[in-house]
Amino acid sequence: MTSNTTSGNVCPPPMKPTSNGAFQGDNPLDYALPLAILQICLVLVVTRGLAYLFRPLRQPRVIAEIVGGILLGPSALGRNKSYLNAVFPPKSLTVLDTLANLGLIFFLFLAGVELDPKSLRKTGGRVLAIATAGISLPFALGIGSSFVLKATIAKDVNTSAFVVYMGVALSITAFPVLARILAELKLLTTSVGRMAMSAAAVNDVAAWILLALAVALSGNSQSPLVSLWVFLGGCGFVVCSILIVLPIFKWMAQKCHEGEPVEELYICATLAAVLAAGFVTDAIGIHAMFGAFVFGILVPKDGPFAGALVEKIEDLVSGLLLPLYFVSSGLKTNIATIQGLQSWGLVIFVTFTACFGKIVGTIVACLLCKVSFNESLVLGFLMNSKGLVELIVLNIGKERKVLNDQTFAIMVLMALFTTFMTTPLVMAVYKRKARISDYKYRTIERKNANSQLRILVCFHGARNIPSVINLIEISRGIQKRDALCVYAMHLKEFSERSSSMLMVQKVRKNGLPFWNKGPRADSDHVIVAFEAYQQLSQVSVRPMIAISSMANIHEDICSTAERKSAAVIILPFHKQQRLDGSLDITRSDFRLVNKRVLDNAPCSVGILVDRGLGGTCHVSASNVSYSIVVLFFGGGDDREALAYGARMAEHPGIRLVVVRFLVEPNIVGEITRVDIGDSSSSKPISEDDEFLAEFRLKTTNDDSVIYGEKIVKDAAETVATIREFNCCNLFVVGLRPTGELTCALERNDSSELGPVGGLLASQDYSTTASVLVMQQYRNDMPINLVQEME
C-alpha cells in the first residue's frame, strides 16, 4: 500500500476491521474490531469497579466514569507509552470517538425523554427567579474568568466563542445527575427537591440554547454571518420538528395501548429519526446531539410509548456506549499540563468562581423569595452539580479548538470537584423535620378487635400480585365497611437507568416516590389489578410505588408504615417458587431489605413465603375456601400470629386450625433448656394462657375454628405433628416462639423466618402451603434480628 509523506512523517495506514487470528501471525490489537472490544471491556471493568468503591460515599455513577476516564488517559496509566500505544493507539481513536458520540446521541435522546415540557410550563415565578439567578451570576463570572484565562494560558483562542463557552460551562446544572442525587438522598418529593428539579430543568434548557449559540460562534469561518446562519438554521430545525415530528410522535403514542407490546416498526422508526435528526443538526453546523435532544423532548411522556423506547436502548447506551465518552474525554485530559503555581492557582480560581456564582446566586434568589436559609443553602449546593453535561460542553469546546489542553484539564477538574462535593455537603447541611407519630394500633393483637386494621403489603413484581390480593381478601375480617385499609407498595430499585427517572416523574407530594391511584391513561397493570379488586370488594386498597436503592429502600417501607399508621407490614420472602415446587433465590439483597425492616419497623412485621396462595389468579370472595393453620408455641410473636389467624377466621370461607404445642411433663429434662430472656418467668406464660382463654371464649360457637393441644416430647415429634397439617393452604407462625421445643429444632439458613418458619420454608420440608411468619412490635427494647439469631 502506498503511503503519503508530508514533512517526513508517514501517515499510518487505515486499520482493517478484523484479523485472521493469532495462529496465522496476526496481532488482534492491530485491527479495529478486536481492539474496540478490548477497549470497551477495559472501560467497563474500571468504571464499574470505581462505582462500587464510590457507592459508600453515595456518589452518582458519573463520578466513577469521569475518574475512570482520567485514570485510563495520559494523566495516569497513559504515562506508560507502551500501554497507551497498545490499547489506545492514535489510529484507533476515530473508531472510539465515533462509538462514544453515537452513545452520546442516544443518551441525549433519553435525557430529552426524561425532561417533561409540561413541568416547565407549570414552573412558578419563584422557581423561575431561582433558576434565572442560578444562571445569570455564574454566566457573568464565567465571562470574567475567561478574560483571566485568556490573559494567561488561552491567548490564541477565538475570543467571542471562548467567552460564551466559559459562561456556559460555569452556569450549567446537570439535570440528569441532579435528579439521581435527589433520588439517592430521598429529597425528590420534598419542597427542596421539587424546587431543585424545576430550576434545574429550566437551567438545562437555557444551557442548551446558550451552548448552541457557542457552537455557532466557534466555527472556522471568520464571517459573523456564518454563525448567524448556523444559529438560525438550528432555530428552524426546532420549529420544523415541532410542526412535523411532534404530530407523528403523538400518533405513534396513541397507537400504543397499555398492557400491549409496542410495535417494532414504531421503535425502529423513532431510532432512525433520532439518527436523522443528528445528521441534520451536524450538517447545519451544530453538534449532532442537539437534534437527538430535541426529538427526546418531543416524545409524548403519557402512555407506554416513552417507556418502551427507554427500555429498548437504555442498557446498551448507559451501560456500554456512554462510558466510552468518558474515556474519550479522559484521553484528552492530561493533568500533567497543569504545571507551576500559576496553573494550580487558576484551578482554584476557576473552581471557586464556579461554586461562588452558583451557590451565592441561588441563595440570594431563594432568600429574596422567602425560602428558609437552610433550604436556600441546600438548593445552592444542589444547583452546583455539573457531571456529564459539563463534559459535553468541554469536549465540544476542545473539538472546536476553543479550549486548549491546559484549559480543558482545568475545567474537567472543576467539574469533577463540584459534582463530588454536592452529596456530602447536602447531607451535612439538610435537616429533615422530625416526624412525631404517636398512633395507637401498632400490632394486630389489640383489645378492640373491631377497630380498623391497616396493613402495608409490599411486593416486588406482577408475579406476587395474585397471592397478595388473596391475602388481602382473607384479611378482611368482620363484614363491615372500613374494617380493613391496605396500602399496596410496589418495591422498585432506583438505578442510573433512564426508566428509573421516568418512574420518578410520577410522584405524589407526600415525601416518597408514589404513584397516585385512580383512573388514568398510563396506569400500570399493577395498579389496575388493585383498583379492580377494590371495586369488587369492601376493602380500601391504595396502590403506590416506592423507588429507592436496595441499600435504603427499607427506610421508605418503615417511614410509610409510620406515616400511614400501619399495624403490620407484609414483606415477600426473598425466594420464589419454581415450577418444580422448590424455592429459588430471586435476589439476595431482598433478604437484607427484609432483615432491615424487621430491625427498624414501627409496627408488627410479617414475611410471606409464597407457594401460590390461592393459585395464580385472584379468588373471588364467594369462592374462597382455605384452610389456615396457626402453630402456637408461646410468646408475643405467636400471639400476634394467632391474632392475625383469628382475624382471617372471620372470613366465611376460612377454616382455622390452632395447634398449641406443650412439652410432656415427664420428659422435660430430655430437652435441652436454653435461657431466652424472660421466657422462664411466669409473665409470658400467663399472657399466653390469658390470650388463649380469651380466644377460645370468643370462638366457642364458631364451627370454622378448631383448637387443639399437642403434647410432644422432643423436636422430632414436633416436626411429625406439624407434618400432619401439610394439606392446609397457609401456615401462620411466630418469628421467635418461646419454649424449649423450638430451641431444639435444627437451625436453618433463613434466620429471618425463625426456627418454625425456617423449617416450613426449607427444601427438606415438603409442603404446598404458603407460610406467613409474624414478628410482633415490641416498644420496650430495640430489635436486632441478626445478632439475636446468631
Side-chain angles (χ1 to χ4, degrees), residues 115 196 199 423 550 553 574 601 646 778:
L115 191 62
T423 300
M550 282 298 162
I553 199 170
H574 70 280
R778 296 186 293 174

PDB file of all heavy atoms in Angstrom, residues 115 196 199 423 550 553 574 601 646 778:
ATOM      1  N   LEU A 115     -37.037  14.707  30.379  1.00  0.00           N
ATOM      2  CA  LEU A 115     -37.435  16.089  30.633  1.00  0.00           C
ATOM      3  C   LEU A 115     -38.838  16.320  30.099  1.00  0.00           C
ATOM      4  O   LEU A 115     -39.095  16.190  28.906  1.00  0.00           O
ATOM      5  CB  LEU A 115     -36.442  17.046  29.955  1.00  0.00           C
ATOM      6  CG  LEU A 115     -36.531  18.519  30.322  1.00  0.00           C
ATOM      7  CD1 LEU A 115     -36.257  18.723  31.806  1.00  0.00           C
ATOM      8  CD2 LEU A 115     -35.554  19.325  29.489  1.00  0.00           C
ATOM      9  N   ALA A 196     -35.563  22.272  43.244  1.00  0.00           N
ATOM     10  CA  ALA A 196     -34.298  21.988  42.566  1.00  0.00           C
ATOM     11  C   ALA A 196     -34.540  21.364  41.197  1.00  0.00           C
ATOM     12  O   ALA A 196     -33.885  21.728  40.206  1.00  0.00           O
ATOM     13  CB  ALA A 196     -33.433  21.074  43.432  1.00  0.00           C
ATOM     14  N   ALA A 199     -36.018  24.106  38.825  1.00  0.00           N
ATOM     15  CA  ALA A 199     -34.996  25.091  38.467  1.00  0.00           C
ATOM     16  C   ALA A 199     -33.944  24.475  37.565  1.00  0.00           C
ATOM     17  O   ALA A 199     -33.465  25.125  36.612  1.00  0.00           O
ATOM     18  CB  ALA A 199     -34.355  25.657  39.731  1.00  0.00           C
ATOM     19  N   THR A 423     -23.139  15.815  47.097  1.00  0.00           N
ATOM     20  CA  THR A 423     -23.800  14.886  48.015  1.00  0.00           C
ATOM     21  C   THR A 423     -23.352  15.056  49.460  1.00  0.00           C
ATOM     22  O   THR A 423     -24.207  15.196  50.345  1.00  0.00           O
ATOM     23  CB  THR A 423     -23.574  13.436  47.547  1.00  0.00           C
ATOM     24  OG1 THR A 423     -24.119  13.275  46.236  1.00  0.00           O
ATOM     25  CG2 THR A 423     -24.243  12.456  48.491  1.00  0.00           C
ATOM     26  N   MET A 550     -31.600  -0.449  46.777  1.00  0.00           N
ATOM     27  CA  MET A 550     -31.836  -1.559  47.678  1.00  0.00           C
ATOM     28  C   MET A 550     -31.151  -1.361  49.034  1.00  0.00           C
ATOM     29  O   MET A 550     -31.547  -1.963  50.024  1.00  0.00           O
ATOM     30  CB  MET A 550     -31.347  -2.868  47.041  1.00  0.00           C
ATOM     31  CG  MET A 550     -32.294  -3.408  46.001  1.00  0.00           C
ATOM     32  SD  MET A 550     -33.892  -3.818  46.714  1.00  0.00           S
ATOM     33  CE  MET A 550     -34.919  -3.881  45.252  1.00  0.00           C
ATOM     34  N   ILE A 553     -34.022   1.102  50.740  1.00  0.00           N
ATOM     35  CA  ILE A 553     -35.461   1.056  50.471  1.00  0.00           C
ATOM     36  C   ILE A 553     -36.246   0.692  51.726  1.00  0.00           C
ATOM     37  O   ILE A 553     -37.436   0.985  51.836  1.00  0.00           O
ATOM     38  CB  ILE A 553     -35.764   0.070  49.314  1.00  0.00           C
ATOM     39  CG1 ILE A 553     -37.148   0.359  48.731  1.00  0.00           C
ATOM     40  CG2 ILE A 553     -35.652  -1.382  49.779  1.00  0.00           C
ATOM     41  CD1 ILE A 553     -37.435  -0.385  47.443  1.00  0.00           C
ATOM     42  N   HIS A 574     -37.483 -13.635  50.116  1.00  0.00           N
ATOM     43  CA  HIS A 574     -36.535 -13.407  49.028  1.00  0.00           C
ATOM     44  C   HIS A 574     -36.413 -14.601  48.090  1.00  0.00           C
ATOM     45  O   HIS A 574     -35.671 -14.537  47.102  1.00  0.00           O
ATOM     46  CB  HIS A 574     -35.150 -13.041  49.581  1.00  0.00           C
ATOM     47  CG  HIS A 574     -34.441 -14.174  50.266  1.00  0.00           C
ATOM     48  ND1 HIS A 574     -34.722 -14.559  51.558  1.00  0.00           N
ATOM     49  CD2 HIS A 574     -33.465 -15.023  49.836  1.00  0.00           C
ATOM     50  CE1 HIS A 574     -33.954 -15.570  51.900  1.00  0.00           C
ATOM     51  NE2 HIS A 574     -33.182 -15.876  50.875  1.00  0.00           N
ATOM     52  N   ALA A 601     -38.760  -1.637  62.020  1.00  0.00           N
ATOM     53  CA  ALA A 601     -40.173  -1.389  61.749  1.00  0.00           C
ATOM     54  C   ALA A 601     -40.863  -0.730  62.948  1.00  0.00           C
ATOM     55  O   ALA A 601     -40.600  -1.074  64.094  1.00  0.00           O
ATOM     56  CB  ALA A 601     -40.875  -2.700  61.401  1.00  0.00           C
ATOM     57  N   ALA A 646     -57.006 -15.289  63.841  1.00  0.00           N
ATOM     58  CA  ALA A 646     -58.376 -15.043  64.292  1.00  0.00           C
ATOM     59  C   ALA A 646     -59.061 -14.016  63.407  1.00  0.00           C
ATOM     60  O   ALA A 646     -60.259 -14.116  63.133  1.00  0.00           O
ATOM     61  CB  ALA A 646     -58.349 -14.568  65.746  1.00  0.00           C
ATOM     62  N   ARG A 778     -42.456  -4.628  69.388  1.00  0.00           N
ATOM     63  CA  ARG A 778     -42.100  -4.506  70.797  1.00  0.00           C
ATOM     64  C   ARG A 778     -41.479  -3.139  71.029  1.00  0.00           C
ATOM     65  O   ARG A 778     -40.442  -2.812  70.446  1.00  0.00           O
ATOM     66  CB  ARG A 778     -41.106  -5.602  71.205  1.00  0.00           C
ATOM     67  CG  ARG A 778     -41.679  -7.003  71.108  1.00  0.00           C
ATOM     68  CD  ARG A 778     -40.698  -8.017  71.656  1.00  0.00           C
ATOM     69  NE  ARG A 778     -39.515  -8.108  70.813  1.00  0.00           N
ATOM     70  CZ  ARG A 778     -38.447  -8.849  71.138  1.00  0.00           C
ATOM     71  NH1 ARG A 778     -38.425  -9.504  72.274  1.00  0.00           N
ATOM     72  NH2 ARG A 778     -37.418  -8.897  70.339  1.00  0.00           N
TER      73      ARG A 778
END
